[in-house]
């Protein structure tokens, strides 16, 4: 009987952890408690999940074949069971075609931007905006485009100002629902200058500017990825992406990832969460 009483008292005294980051908390400053600091949870609390919604292109998307594999496909296993990753990235999309799909015409307006008509969202974004089934308070939205947006032709073409504006639209939509947006610069392809991997993507400044304007954290995945390539000594390269360390990391091109490469990029993003003290880091294994 004494042991039973002590056990009940211990449970009642233990603090409860809900798994949600308070709406008023700063994304840069607030982290969920570490695994070591968490008390035993009730079944109801353990079942609660934080959803991490991913919006991006082929470098993030789930695979349709053995290659390419987007890093978003390898993100969920890095978290504990309180996190569910919902990967809505789609191959071949710019931020504008991801949002508007076939409504983006092949005609440019006087500002040089592709005309969107009608100005209605794709079902994928509408699903994420749905009050009942979409983003909820405490969820996260990761946004990473910039691979296809530099296409000079419509419908994929997006100019820097338009790119920043669309990022801001998505960030504001997430925040209005109590979710936490995280912006990422586009992941680098493998481009060698001699024995050094170098940057090769655009839309870096608009991404940073959108983060500054909205208060959303920005993960510079572009720099982090080519830094990883240097660590792995993927350069020099003679243009053959099918052999050696480069072949193990990339598909037979300079852009898309084999499963092993996608896993390493996902881990780079996870490390950035910890390094930048973004609250979601508290759920990492």
């Amino acid at each position: 009987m004494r042991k039973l009483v002590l056990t009940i008292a211990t449970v009642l005294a233990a603090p409860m952890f809900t798994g949600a980051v308070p709406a008023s908390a700063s994304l840069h400053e607030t982290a969920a408690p570490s695994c070591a600091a968490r008390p035993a949870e009730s079944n109801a609390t353990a079942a609660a999940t934080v959803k991490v919604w991913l919006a991006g292109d082929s470098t993030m998307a789930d695979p349709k074949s053995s290659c390419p594999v987007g890093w978003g496909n390898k993100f969920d296993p890095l978290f504990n069971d309180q996190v569910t990753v919902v990967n809505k990235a789609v191959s071949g999309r710019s931020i504008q075609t991801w949002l508007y799909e076939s409504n983006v015409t092949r005609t440019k307006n006087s500002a040089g931007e592709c005309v969107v008509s009608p100005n209605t969202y794709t079902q994928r974004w509408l699903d994420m905006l749905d009050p009942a089934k979409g983003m909820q308070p405490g969820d996260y939205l990761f946004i990473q485009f910039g691979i296809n947006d530099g296409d000079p032709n419509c419908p994929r073409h997006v100019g820097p100002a338009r790119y920043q504006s669309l990022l801001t639209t998505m960030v504001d939509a997430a925040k209005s629902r109590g979710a936490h947006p995280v912006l990422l610069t586009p992941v680098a392809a493998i481009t060698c200058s001699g024995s050094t991997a170098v940057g090769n993507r655009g839309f870096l400044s608009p991404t940073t500017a959108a983060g500054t304007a909205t208060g959303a954290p920005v993960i510079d995945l572009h720099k982090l990825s080519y830094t990883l390539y240097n660590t792995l000594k993927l350069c020099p390269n003679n243009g053959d992406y099918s052999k050696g360390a480069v072949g193990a990391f990339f598909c037979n091109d300079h852009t898309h990832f084999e499963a092993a490469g996608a896993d390493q990029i996902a881990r780079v993003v996870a490390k950035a969460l910890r390094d930048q003290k973004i609250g979601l880091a508290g759920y990492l294994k």
Side-chain angles (χ1 to χ4, degrees):
M1 179 63 72
R2 175 178 173 79
K3 182 176 181 181
L4 176 61
V5 171
L6 288 175
T7 301
I8 294 174
T10 300
V11 172
L12 292 176
M16 294 299 292
F17 172 65
T18 64
V21 177
S24 60
S26 165
L27 283 172
H28 296 277
E29 297 175 356
T30 303
S34 66
C35 294
R38 289 186 188 129
E41 297 165 342
S42 69
N43 289 336
T45 303
T49 60
V50 172
K51 287 187 176 179
V52 179
W53 303 82
L54 305 183
D57 52 44
S58 58
T59 59
M60 180 191 267
D62 287 332
K64 294 183 178 179
S65 62
S66 60
C67 202
V69 178
W71 66 262
N73 183 253
K74 302 296 183 179
F75 206 38
D76 188 272
L78 303 181
F79 294 94
N80 65 30
D81 58 8
Q82 288 186 291
V83 168
T84 299
V85 174
V86 183
N87 195 350
K88 294 288 188 177
V90 184
S91 297
R93 272 48 173 193
S94 65
I95 188 172
Q96 188 157 256
T97 55
W98 189 92
L99 282 168
Y100 297 103
E101 200 60 83
S102 58
N103 293 340
V104 184
T105 71
R106 295 187 177 275
T107 303
K108 290 185 180 180
N109 60 21
S110 59
E113 295 295 345
C114 305
V115 174
V116 180
S117 181
N119 192 26
T120 52
Y121 292 130
T122 59
Q123 191 60 49
R124 69 179 71 96
W125 184 229
L126 292 175
D127 288 345
M128 291 169 70
L129 299 176
D130 185 272
K133 299 180 180 179
M135 292 181 286
Q136 302 295 317
D139 285 354
Y140 284 79
L141 171 63
F142 281 58
I143 309 169
Q144 181 225 286
F145 291 95
I147 304 294
N148 303 303
D149 307 68
D151 191 327
N153 302 309
C154 293
R156 297 202 300 184
H157 169 77
V158 182
R162 176 70 170 154
Y163 188 87
Q164 181 178 336
S165 174
L166 293 175
L167 281 180
T168 301
T169 295
M170 296 180 75
V171 166
D172 288 345
K175 292 175 72 174
S176 72
R177 287 158 176 75
H180 307 301
V182 179
L183 302 178
L184 300 97
T185 56
V187 64
I190 178 66
T191 299
C192 298
S193 176
S195 60
T196 303
V198 295
N200 43 53
R201 297 298 187 194
F203 300 96
L204 309 180
S205 295
T207 306
T208 301
T212 300
T214 61
V218 177
I219 294 175
D220 190 358
L221 184 55
H222 181 250
K223 183 176 182 180
L224 292 173
S225 55
Y226 72 72
T227 299
L228 172 65
Y229 306 157
N230 281 316
T231 300
L232 297 174
K233 300 186 184 304
L234 300 186
C235 292
N237 179 263
N238 62 4
D240 185 350
Y241 304 106
S242 63
K243 299 177 182 177
V246 171
F249 197 101
F250 288 93
C251 303
N252 192 17
D253 62 19
H254 69 300
T255 297
H256 298 102
F257 309 122
E258 295 278 358
D263 181 72
Q264 293 200 61
I265 295 295
R267 291 178 186 279
V268 164
V269 176
K271 184 176 185 301
L273 292 176
R274 286 194 172 101
D275 291 345
Q276 296 180 218
K277 297 181 173 59
I278 296 172
L280 186 63
Y283 299 99
L284 290 166
K285 292 178 180 176

